[in-house]
Amino acid sequence: KLIKEQYENLIKLVYLGNWMINAIHSGAEDDEQIQKYNDIDKNIFSFAKEAGLEHYIEYEEKFKKFFPTREFEEDSELEQYREDYDDEVFWQELADRLGSRDFLRQYGEKAIRKMARKERFLKEQEFIIKYEEKFKRDGLNNLEILKKIK
């Protein structure tokens, strides 16, 4: 049993969790998405009307499924969480991948394999941290592709 506010927060959590897992499959058929999470959100969403939150979740007879309404999906709180998540993942992945690339270039695969786990981690982190600091300071302003893209 949840109070209305707790249930509203639960549907937001379920929605955001399923969005994180399945958004990369948007437009795909259900069987291409990770169905077990789609099933959870269907179950949780099915109680929206009973909880007085039918303005957030609606049932589509055509599909025999519950869907978030436009009002729900455009909720500024949810939009901010998605933007913050995307932004953090973008910068972290960019720094990690460039740092790992430079680490490999500096030491070579053979030498890296011989390193102890802690040594490898610390040396690789030096490269990653440089990128994190650079991106925090300059964003994309000084990032350039040196080869022409065909």
Side-chain angles (χ1 to χ4, degrees), residues 22-53:
N22 277 316
I24 59 172
H25 302 289
S26 66
E29 296 298 319
D30 279 343
D31 61 335
E32 292 179 34
Q33 295 185 344
I34 301 176
Q35 192 57 44
K36 64 184 177 182
Y37 298 109
N38 286 337
D39 293 341
I40 290 172
D41 76 9
K42 285 179 212 168
N43 186 338
I44 299 299
F45 292 172
S46 71
F47 298 100
K49 187 173 183 177
E50 184 180 322
L53 293 169

